[in-house]
Amino acid sequence: MFFASDNTGPVHPQIMDALARANDGYATPYGNDPLMDEVRTRLREIFEAPEAAVYLVATGTAANCLGLACIAPPTHTVFCSPNAHIHEDECNAPEFYTGGAKLTLVGTEDKITPEVLHATIAAEGSRGVHGPQRGPVSLTQATEKGQIYDLDELAALSAVARDHDLPVQMDGARFANALVALDCTPAEMTWRAGIDVLSFGGTKNGCMGVEAVILFDPAKAWEFELRRKRGAHLFSKHRYLSAQMAAYLRDDLWRQSARRANANMARLVAGLRERNTVRLRYEPVANIAFADLPRATVRRLLEAGAAFNVWDGDVEGEDPDTPLTIRLVSDWSLPETEIDRFLDLVRD
Amino acid sequence: MFFASDNTGPVHPQIMDALARANDGYATPYGNDPLMDEVRTRLREIFEAPEAAVYLVATGTAANCLGLACIAPPTHTVFCSPNAHIHEDECNAPEFYTGGAKLTLVGTEDKITPEVLHATIAAEGSRGVHGPQRGPVSLTQATEKGQIYDLDELAALSAVARDHDLPVQMDGARFANALVALDCTPAEMTWRAGIDVLSFGGTKNGCMGVEAVILFDPAKAWEFELRRKRGAHLFSKHRYLSAQMAAYLRDDLWRQSARRANANMARLVAGLRERNTVRLRYEPVANIAFADLPRATVRRLLEAGAAFNVWDGDVEGEDPDTPLTIRLVSDWSLPETEIDRFLDLVRD
Amino acid sequence: MFFASDNTGPVHPQIMDALARANDGYATPYGNDPLMDEVRTRLREIFEAPEAAVYLVATGTAANCLGLACIAPPTHTVFCSPNAHIHEDECNAPEFYTGGAKLTLVGTEDKITPEVLHATIAAEGSRGVHGPQRGPVSLTQATEKGQIYDLDELAALSAVARDHDLPVQMDGARFANALVALDCTPAEMTWRAGIDVLSFGGTKNGCMGVEAVILFDPAKAWEFELRRKRGAHLFSKHRYLSAQMAAYLRDDLWRQSARRANANMARLVAGLRERNTVRLRYEPVANIAFADLPRATVRRLLEAGAAFNVWDGDVEGEDPDTPLTIRLVSDWSLPETEIDRFLDLVRD
Amino acid sequence: MFFASDNTGPVHPQIMDALARANDGYATPYGNDPLMDEVRTRLREIFEAPEAAVYLVATGTAANCLGLACIAPPTHTVFCSPNAHIHEDECNAPEFYTGGAKLTLVGTEDKITPEVLHATIAAEGSRGVHGPQRGPVSLTQATEKGQIYDLDELAALSAVARDHDLPVQMDGARFANALVALDCTPAEMTWRAGIDVLSFGGTKNGCMGVEAVILFDPAKAWEFELRRKRGAHLFSKHRYLSAQMAAYLRDDLWRQSARRANANMARLVAGLRERNTVRLRYEPVANIAFADLPRATVRRLLEAGAAFNVWDGDVEGEDPDTPLTIRLVSDWSLPETEIDRFLDLVRD
């Protein structure tokens, strides 16, 4: 009953096999391995972006921060959701990698709306040289709360950014989960919707530790390479990053794994909806749910060995009926029996 | 005939097996996996340092820069060899991670001597607030030229640093190669010789991509953790770093692999010494050699498929007898037959 | 009718005289001039802080950022008002000088309350190594909106900081204006109220360009000196900074000038209160007021040559009765006749 | 007998007068004062550069570092003399302002030669993404040792930079001293000789604290403004920087002062040459000399109240004949009688 995160599960067997197959003889280091050629070609095909620059790093924070650093000068500010990973979960890595750019929070909700984005950008940047300059807009797809921007929303948000001549970065640590939920093409969800720089996640969806950064406009490619090296994120034995990503892309594994992760969440959510004492906080459409459960239920689950994050509230409190907010995350590897066992424990 | 680098060979099978074994079920992320407990315990035992703080990162540059950043304030300077990896091969990553500390080159030779170190430190720091302040001494063991500081040399260098109240960092990307060549204990080559912070390399000696950072004084442990996260080097699926390092340490694999790498180089060097046209640039004691060979020989080797770096000189030049300097690196995986085939091609 | 800012007026004649007197013969550079000894001694006396470290820089942004950099590590966050100068008007200088620390906005009001500060600090820092770490609290006295924290408020805010073991910095660009309004001692408004680091402004109150930074705990004094030099803020001909500050402190000039500035604002505000069409946005207690005036009035003032900032609203709009928000700032040099002329133009 | 530095003397009376005249009524802050218009116009005329961007800051380190930061990305290296102020006397400010660029020392001599510059640039940058990238060349005119590059030397050095497509920055803290020594036009010594960015010093030549930065190509003008603000170097009461620079440029004061400073040094050097026990270290052509004097002479001078820096050697040593190296600097304000008194004390 592991719902703690999509980074606690195992690596997909096809990816482990690919690593074993890559482990043969000698290979040129630092991204010049033949598998990287395959990765680059495949990602360009998948994204219908033959000119895009494509790079691999090992962590999602590195992907976000190196991508942002190429488009956010240190005197600028990045517009993002108050729940954005770059704001809450990267220990000032964006500030570090950009050389001190600021993050301006857009509104108070998880999902950014075009209206609030416009108002925030308009308010920021009225002070000439004194204030931070308007920089890129960063969108998280799927969000940290498991929500998804549909294509119209993405287009509207990008239009606001474009009106102010600002680039758009997408934190796609859960890109695949969003894509299969929307049932659109990768191009539709990115450059056709105005995205300039993408973090294309692999780690949370079955890889060991690999993320692609895609610069749809390759003008900053060399700068990215320098920043990656300077950030200590250029792997010498790069073939083992390439092998993961190549296997992830082969045979549609990336979409299949995301479909399974989302289906697992759908099964869980369907069960939770049937419980009177459970209240869902968001409409879960990908592989994350936030739910309010009575304290007694939360305790029962924890005692039975379920793993998840208690987001709000104190498990040790007295009143057994007080609702606590918990976060539930599913990945591809979660057995349906475990989901059902969890649901059994959430009996009213 | 792959002598290009010790990062071009495959991962040791025992480490691949360990990764496969680690790939079972769920594991707590971000370094809280049980395998990391094993790694921490083993490294403390191996180094006879029960209080040491032990962390894993995936690249040697990250290990060096995060370690240095904990002991080099941004207004200080790091004393290092002109051949140091931190100076020549990290694209300003030390400056980035320290927030702008300087690197002061000590002398012009690969190996630093106590006399020149003392003179350099004395010269730096006579300007009060105007100049960079004296910061840590960084030593590379084995050096980028394949040389080794013996225990007396290390002690003498550390004594100079201590006289100026400066900490000492060791770049041990090839720590094991140096250790088995010196035939001493890890403690003798580190904290007993005055080393405060160590990059303990795994990647170049059979791992996929893992380095340990050991802070013998754990006072900066939490700062290191924050800097690692901020640098985007904290792995979510950390168990796969732990698994590599755990397997590397088990059954003395790390020392065995280093012995094989060094023995491979010794075999190569012994053969090269027998050739009249070959001149060795340094006394190779670990797994790296620099040698001058006639241009014609270099060409013959390249045409036969040998891989190595031409360090100095132009392969395309005219005179077949002009000596070119090449760098030869061996790892544990190099078959003796390949070494002998290489030597056959270096016939006079 | 110059109400644009307190940085547009002339330097006080006593300060100009002091500069002329200081311009005699040779003086040791870089802060080792005898006038700096006077400044240090006087500030320690005035603040009843014999151990305090005292430094001079030429800009308020430098004072704030160098002071903060000594107490805010790059992985931490600074808690400040959404109107703080460090947030809105320093073009990411705090992020630059701290090496990438974040600024966390406390609430949505100009003045921070202890309750909201506590809640903000509590919310920040629940993510362990993943989120920014709790860093200093920064208070602006008087605020950018011309408001003042009374001694009880300062004590309550400092208590919240101390509860979380956080230092407190005060941006006192308008320190004197606040002090004379509160009619308390400098010690009461600073270290006795829990302030650790102070920017003590001179520029906005009659100096040419000088601010003192006072570290009530001198432990970071040397670090401050290094950071000042590294920031290019150590003046070679430092005596001309010292001379300004020495004259500013002599004969109570600093408090007298602040009293005049505040009195000028009081006269202006008293007149504005008598106009039916004027609405004051805050209770002005120092030398800044924000007021809503009908568009027609604003235009009349501008056409008559009055200088002030239109904070909100469009002067070019149609409806003459629509209120626009303007900011009015007074300094010591403003003639009462100009204030009265301004008020005459604000006839209803 | 003050020969300690050209930053220990008084401000020129014409500049003090200009400050007093500027101190009248209100002036727009932040560089929008009318005097800045005059400065901009005059510097463009003087440099025959009608498009140049012109800015003022208060310190030489700020001028150098802000100028360099516009042309040296953080992954690059700056080529400079081992004696360069940016290397020895700015406490890592260049590293700070560039975000971590490196400084590569060119040769071991004070003056850079085209041959050594070419060799240094060629050696740096052979490592692709691994090493620092080739960045700007920084030249100091006059040098820290009081030497001067003639126009041919400047052209030859710039040509080397241009061959590698690198910009050239000039640290002209003592620009005027060099210019009058060469007796050429400002344009000839800068953009016509290939200089892209200039620090045009005022402080060491009679100003209170002001330096101009001239970007001959204005493409980076706005970036400079942002970096100046972010560095806390944008003065609110900017008119007092403008007034200094305007007065400095009026009536050729800047060249006259430099001529007097150089003439003072020439008088001193002529006298020193007549002493058998004195050896000049460089051929002094501007306002700095380095000389070896017997220890007894050095002591006699110090006891008589002469002020200068002992550059090498221990004043407290025993043998009275041991030569010590001292640095002597003259400014415009030095009376000839003081020079002669000094020379009298250096009797053989």
Side-chain angles (χ1 to χ4, degrees):
Chain A
M1 296 187 294
F2 283 84
F3 300 95
S5 179
D6 34 12
N7 59 32
T8 57
V11 174
H12 195 282
Q14 291 175 232
I15 290 168
M16 288 303 286
D17 287 352
L19 283 170
R21 277 197 309 277
N23 196 41
D24 182 35
Y26 290 81
T28 319
Y30 299 119
N32 299 313
D33 51 291
L35 280 168
M36 185 59 205
D37 294 335
E38 177 185 333
V39 167
R40 197 180 295 109
T41 301
R42 278 299 290 138
L43 279 171
R44 286 172 173 171
E45 286 169 4
I46 287 170
F47 280 88
E48 306 168 53
E51 306 294 328
V54 174
Y55 298 107
L56 300 181
V57 292
T59 71
T61 297
N64 283 335
C65 293
L66 289 168
L68 279 171
C70 288
I71 55 176
T75 49
H76 286 48
T77 193
V78 178
F79 297 95
C80 68
S81 161
N83 291 333
H85 198 268
I86 58 171
H87 175 60
E88 292 205 306
D89 283 308
E90 301 189 351
C91 193
N92 297 353
E95 288 85 352
F96 178 44
Y97 275 92
T98 58
K102 194 185 280 287
L103 269 59
T104 295
L105 305 185
V106 181
T108 57
E109 299 298 316
D110 179 46
K111 276 179 69 177
I112 299 175
T113 63
E115 295 71 30
V116 178
L117 178 60
H118 174 80
T120 307
I121 294 175
E124 195 71 73
S126 59
R127 290 166 179 266
V129 81
H130 300 283
Q133 306 299 299
R134 295 161 177 162
V137 175
S138 177
L139 303 173
T140 310
Q141 178 83 323
T143 75
E144 296 293 314
K145 301 298 185 192
Q147 298 189 285
I148 294 176
Y149 295 100
D150 67 31
L151 295 188
D152 288 344
E153 290 172 326
L154 288 177
L157 289 163
S158 294
V160 173
R162 206 163 42 244
D163 282 350
H164 294 91
D165 211 19
L166 306 178
V168 185
Q169 184 256 7
M170 179 178 277
D171 174 354
R174 295 186 179 94
F175 185 89
N177 302 91
L179 189 81
V180 300
L182 284 185
D183 197 21
C184 65
T185 71
E188 285 170 344
M189 205 168 87
T190 55
W191 62 269
R192 285 202 179 125
I195 308 301
D196 298 288
V197 175
L198 172 67
S199 297
F200 176 78
T203 312
K204 289 182 191 295
N205 193 27
C207 293
M208 184 180 279
V210 70
E211 314 275 310
V213 178
I214 303 180
L215 309 173
F216 292 106
D217 174 352
K220 299 269 192 173
W222 178 236
E223 180 178 338
F224 184 93
E225 293 195 44
L226 291 172
R227 287 185 178 274
R228 178 176 59 169
K229 173 67 192 175
R230 183 176 78 124
H233 288 287
L234 176 58
F235 271 50
S236 58
K237 296 189 175 173
H238 187 280
R239 63 168 132 172
Y240 302 102
L241 294 185
S242 307
Q244 291 178 63
M245 184 56 71
Y248 184 61
L249 300 176
R250 259 178 235 140
D251 306 324
D252 218 30
L253 176 60
W254 65 291
R255 270 184 280 229
Q256 282 181 35
S257 296
R259 275 189 207 105
R260 284 177 57 186
N262 290 7
N264 284 339
M265 182 51 62
R267 184 183 190 93
L268 179 67
V269 164
L272 291 174
R273 282 194 205 286
E274 292 171 8
R275 269 68 181 170
N276 292 327
T277 58
V278 173
R279 192 170 72 84
L280 289 165
R281 289 231 154 211
Y282 301 94
E283 177 67 34
V285 282
N287 67 325
I288 303 180
F290 284 76
D292 291 351
L293 279 72
R295 178 179 283 128
T297 310
V298 171
R299 279 198 197 150
R300 193 186 317 132
L301 287 162
L302 291 171
E303 281 157 16
F308 51 82
N309 281 53
V310 179
W311 213 253
D312 203 20
D314 179 11
V315 179
E316 303 302 319
E318 291 221 351
D319 177 18
D321 297 328
T322 302
L324 308 181
T325 305
I326 67 172
R327 188 186 77 161
L328 299 162
V329 190
S330 60
D331 77 351
W332 63 275
S333 75
L334 204 59
E336 295 190 350
T337 51
E338 292 288 286
I339 299 168
D340 295 344
R341 191 153 76 90
F342 186 94
L343 288 170
D344 282 348
L345 287 160
V346 193
R347 60 182 176 271
D348 290 325
Chain B
M1 297 186 292
F2 283 84
F3 299 94
S5 179
D6 34 12
N7 59 33
T8 58
V11 174
H12 195 284
Q14 292 176 231
I15 290 168
M16 289 303 286
D17 287 352
L19 284 169
R21 276 197 310 278
N23 196 42
D24 181 34
Y26 292 79
T28 319
Y30 300 120
N32 298 313
D33 51 291
L35 280 167
M36 186 59 204
D37 294 335
E38 177 185 335
V39 166
R40 196 180 296 109
T41 302
R42 279 298 291 137
L43 279 172
R44 286 172 173 171
E45 287 169 3
I46 287 170
F47 279 87
E48 304 168 55
E51 306 293 328
V54 174
Y55 298 107
L56 300 182
V57 293
T59 70
T61 298
N64 283 336
C65 293
L66 290 169
L68 280 171
C70 289
I71 54 175
T75 48
H76 286 49
T77 193
V78 178
F79 297 94
C80 68
S81 162
N83 290 334
H85 198 268
I86 57 171
H87 175 60
E88 293 204 307
D89 283 308
E90 301 189 351
C91 194
N92 298 353
E95 288 87 350
F96 179 44
Y97 275 91
T98 58
K102 194 186 278 290
L103 270 59
T104 296
L105 306 185
V106 180
T108 57
E109 299 297 315
D110 179 47
K111 276 179 70 178
I112 298 175
T113 63
E115 295 72 29
V116 178
L117 178 60
H118 175 80
T120 307
I121 293 175
E124 195 70 74
S126 58
R127 291 166 178 267
V129 82
H130 300 283
Q133 306 300 298
R134 295 160 178 162
V137 174
S138 178
L139 302 173
T140 311
Q141 176 84 322
T143 75
E144 297 293 313
K145 300 299 186 192
Q147 298 189 287
I148 293 177
Y149 295 100
D150 66 30
L151 296 187
D152 288 344
E153 289 171 327
L154 289 176
L157 290 162
S158 294
V160 173
R162 206 162 41 245
D163 281 351
H164 293 91
D165 212 19
L166 306 178
V168 185
Q169 185 258 7
M170 179 178 277
D171 175 355
R174 294 186 180 96
F175 185 89
N177 302 92
L179 189 81
V180 300
L182 284 185
D183 196 21
C184 64
T185 71
E188 285 170 342
M189 204 169 89
T190 56
W191 64 269
R192 285 201 179 125
I195 308 301
D196 299 288
V197 176
L198 172 67
S199 298
F200 176 76
T203 312
K204 289 180 189 296
N205 194 27
C207 294
M208 184 179 280
V210 70
E211 314 275 311
V213 177
I214 303 179
L215 310 172
F216 292 106
D217 174 353
K220 300 269 190 172
W222 179 237
E223 180 178 338
F224 184 92
E225 292 194 46
L226 291 172
R227 288 184 177 275
R228 177 176 60 169
K229 174 66 193 177
R230 184 176 77 124
H233 287 288
L234 176 57
F235 271 50
S236 59
K237 296 190 174 172
H238 186 281
R239 63 170 133 174
Y240 302 102
L241 294 185
S242 307
Q244 291 178 63
M245 184 55 72
Y248 184 60
L249 300 176
R250 260 179 234 140
D251 306 325
D252 218 31
L253 176 61
W254 64 293
R255 271 184 280 229
Q256 283 181 34
S257 295
R259 276 189 207 104
R260 284 177 56 187
N262 289 8
N264 284 339
M265 182 51 63
R267 184 184 189 94
L268 179 68
V269 164
L272 291 175
R273 283 195 204 284
E274 294 171 7
R275 270 63 180 175
N276 293 328
T277 57
V278 174
R279 191 170 72 85
L280 289 165
R281 290 233 151 209
Y282 301 94
E283 178 66 33
V285 282
N287 66 325
I288 303 181
F290 285 76
D292 291 350
L293 278 72
R295 177 179 282 127
T297 308
V298 171
R299 280 199 197 148
R300 192 188 316 130
L301 286 162
L302 291 171
E303 281 157 16
F308 51 82
N309 281 52
V310 179
W311 213 252
D312 203 20
D314 179 9
V315 179
E316 303 304 319
E318 293 221 349
D319 177 17
D321 296 328
T322 302
L324 307 181
T325 305
I326 67 172
R327 187 186 78 160
L328 299 162
V329 190
S330 59
D331 77 351
W332 63 276
S333 74
L334 203 61
E336 295 189 351
T337 52
E338 292 288 285
I339 299 168
D340 296 344
R341 191 154 76 89
F342 186 95
L343 287 170
D344 282 348
L345 287 159
V346 193
R347 61 183 178 271
D348 291 323
Chain C
M1 298 187 295
F2 283 83
F3 300 94
S5 179
D6 34 12
N7 59 33
T8 58
V11 174
H12 196 282
Q14 292 176 231
I15 290 168
M16 288 304 286
D17 287 352
L19 284 169
R21 277 197 309 278
N23 196 41
D24 182 36
Y26 290 81
T28 319
Y30 300 120
N32 298 313
D33 51 291
L35 281 166
M36 185 59 203
D37 294 336
E38 178 186 334
V39 166
R40 197 180 294 109
T41 301
R42 279 298 290 137
L43 279 171
R44 286 173 174 169
E45 285 169 5
I46 288 169
F47 279 89
E48 305 168 52
E51 306 293 329
V54 174
Y55 298 107
L56 300 182
V57 294
T59 71
T61 298
N64 283 335
C65 293
L66 289 169
L68 280 171
C70 289
I71 55 176
T75 48
H76 286 47
T77 194
V78 178
F79 297 94
C80 68
S81 162
N83 291 334
H85 198 268
I86 59 171
H87 175 59
E88 292 205 306
D89 283 308
E90 301 189 349
C91 193
N92 297 354
E95 289 85 350
F96 179 43
Y97 275 91
T98 58
K102 193 185 280 288
L103 270 59
T104 296
L105 306 185
V106 180
T108 57
E109 300 298 316
D110 179 46
K111 276 179 69 178
I112 298 175
T113 63
E115 296 69 32
V116 178
L117 178 61
H118 175 80
T120 308
I121 294 175
E124 195 71 73
S126 59
R127 291 165 180 266
V129 82
H130 300 284
Q133 305 299 298
R134 295 161 177 163
V137 174
S138 177
L139 302 174
T140 310
Q141 176 83 321
T143 75
E144 298 292 314
K145 301 299 185 192
Q147 299 189 284
I148 294 177
Y149 295 99
D150 66 29
L151 295 188
D152 288 345
E153 289 172 327
L154 288 176
L157 290 163
S158 293
V160 173
R162 207 161 41 244
D163 281 350
H164 293 90
D165 213 19
L166 306 178
V168 185
Q169 185 260 3
M170 179 179 276
D171 175 354
R174 295 186 179 95
F175 184 88
N177 303 90
L179 189 81
V180 299
L182 285 184
D183 195 21
C184 65
T185 71
E188 284 171 345
M189 205 170 88
T190 56
W191 63 269
R192 285 202 180 123
I195 308 301
D196 299 289
V197 176
L198 172 67
S199 298
F200 176 77
T203 311
K204 289 181 191 294
N205 194 26
C207 293
M208 185 179 278
V210 70
E211 314 275 312
V213 179
I214 303 180
L215 311 173
F216 292 105
D217 174 353
K220 299 270 190 171
W222 178 237
E223 180 178 338
F224 184 92
E225 293 195 42
L226 292 171
R227 287 184 177 275
R228 178 176 59 167
K229 173 67 192 174
R230 183 175 78 123
H233 288 288
L234 176 57
F235 271 49
S236 59
K237 296 189 175 174
H238 186 280
R239 62 169 133 173
Y240 302 102
L241 294 185
S242 307
Q244 292 179 62
M245 184 55 72
Y248 184 61
L249 300 176
R250 263 180 233 140
D251 306 324
D252 218 31
L253 176 61
W254 65 291
R255 270 184 281 226
Q256 283 181 33
S257 296
R259 276 190 207 103
R260 284 178 57 187
N262 289 8
N264 284 339
M265 182 50 63
R267 184 183 189 91
L268 180 68
V269 164
L272 291 175
R273 280 195 207 287
E274 293 171 6
R275 271 66 180 170
N276 293 327
T277 56
V278 174
R279 193 170 70 84
L280 289 165
R281 290 231 152 212
Y282 301 94
E283 178 67 33
V285 282
N287 66 326
I288 303 181
F290 284 77
D292 291 351
L293 279 71
R295 179 179 282 129
T297 310
V298 171
R299 279 198 198 149
R300 192 184 319 130
L301 287 161
L302 292 171
E303 281 157 15
F308 52 81
N309 280 52
V310 179
W311 213 253
D312 203 19
D314 180 10
V315 179
E316 304 302 321
E318 294 219 351
D319 177 17
D321 298 327
T322 303
L324 307 182
T325 305
I326 67 171
R327 188 187 75 160
L328 300 162
V329 190
S330 60
D331 76 352
W332 62 276
S333 73
L334 203 60
E336 296 190 351
T337 51
E338 292 288 285
I339 298 169
D340 295 344
R341 191 154 74 90
F342 186 94
L343 288 170
D344 282 347
L345 287 159
V346 193
R347 60 182 178 271
D348 288 327
Chain D
M1 298 187 293
F2 282 84
F3 300 95
S5 180
D6 34 13
N7 59 31
T8 59
V11 174
H12 196 282
Q14 291 176 231
I15 290 169
M16 288 304 286
D17 287 351
L19 284 170
R21 277 196 309 277
N23 196 41
D24 182 37
Y26 290 81
T28 320
Y30 298 121
N32 298 313
D33 51 291
L35 280 167
M36 186 59 205
D37 293 336
E38 177 186 334
V39 166
R40 198 180 295 109
T41 301
R42 280 297 290 137
L43 278 172
R44 285 173 174 169
E45 286 168 5
I46 287 169
F47 280 88
E48 305 167 52
E51 307 293 330
V54 174
Y55 298 106
L56 300 182
V57 292
T59 70
T61 298
N64 283 337
C65 293
L66 290 168
L68 280 171
C70 289
I71 55 176
T75 48
H76 286 49
T77 194
V78 178
F79 296 95
C80 68
S81 161
N83 290 334
H85 198 268
I86 58 171
H87 176 59
E88 291 204 307
D89 283 308
E90 302 189 351
C91 194
N92 297 353
E95 289 85 349
F96 179 43
Y97 275 92
T98 58
K102 195 186 278 288
L103 270 59
T104 295
L105 306 184
V106 180
T108 57
E109 301 296 318
D110 179 47
K111 276 179 66 178
I112 299 175
T113 63
E115 296 70 31
V116 177
L117 178 60
H118 175 80
T120 307
I121 294 174
E124 194 71 72
S126 58
R127 289 165 181 269
V129 82
H130 300 284
Q133 306 299 297
R134 295 160 176 163
V137 174
S138 177
L139 303 173
T140 310
Q141 177 81 321
T143 75
E144 297 293 314
K145 300 299 186 192
Q147 299 190 285
I148 294 177
Y149 295 100
D150 66 29
L151 295 187
D152 287 345
E153 289 171 328
L154 288 176
L157 289 163
S158 293
V160 173
R162 208 164 38 245
D163 282 352
H164 293 92
D165 212 18
L166 305 179
V168 185
Q169 184 258 6
M170 179 178 276
D171 175 355
R174 296 187 179 93
F175 185 87
N177 302 90
L179 189 82
V180 300
L182 284 185
D183 196 20
C184 65
T185 71
E188 284 170 345
M189 205 168 88
T190 56
W191 62 269
R192 284 200 181 126
I195 307 301
D196 299 288
V197 175
L198 172 68
S199 297
F200 176 77
T203 311
K204 289 180 191 293
N205 194 27
C207 293
M208 184 179 279
V210 70
E211 314 275 311
V213 178
I214 303 179
L215 310 172
F216 292 106
D217 175 353
K220 299 269 191 172
W222 179 236
E223 180 178 338
F224 184 92
E225 294 195 43
L226 291 172
R227 287 184 178 274
R228 178 176 57 168
K229 173 67 191 175
R230 184 176 77 124
H233 288 288
L234 176 57
F235 270 49
S236 58
K237 297 190 174 173
H238 187 281
R239 62 169 133 172
Y240 302 101
L241 294 185
S242 306
Q244 292 179 62
M245 184 55 72
Y248 183 61
L249 300 176
R250 261 179 233 141
D251 306 326
D252 218 32
L253 176 61
W254 65 291
R255 271 184 281 228
Q256 283 180 33
S257 296
R259 277 191 206 103
R260 284 178 57 186
N262 289 7
N264 284 339
M265 183 50 63
R267 183 182 190 91
L268 179 68
V269 164
L272 291 175
R273 282 195 205 287
E274 294 171 5
R275 271 63 180 173
N276 292 328
T277 56
V278 173
R279 192 170 71 83
L280 290 164
R281 289 233 152 212
Y282 300 93
E283 177 66 33
V285 282
N287 66 325
I288 303 180
F290 284 77
D292 290 352
L293 279 73
R295 179 180 283 127
T297 310
V298 171
R299 278 197 198 150
R300 193 186 317 130
L301 287 162
L302 291 171
E303 281 157 16
F308 52 81
N309 280 52
V310 178
W311 212 253
D312 204 19
D314 180 9
V315 178
E316 304 302 320
E318 293 219 352
D319 176 17
D321 298 327
T322 303
L324 307 182
T325 305
I326 68 171
R327 188 186 77 159
L328 299 162
V329 190
S330 59
D331 76 353
W332 63 275
S333 74
L334 203 60
E336 294 189 351
T337 51
E338 292 289 284
I339 299 169
D340 295 344
R341 192 153 77 90
F342 186 94
L343 288 169
D344 282 348
L345 288 159
V346 193
R347 59 180 179 269
D348 290 327

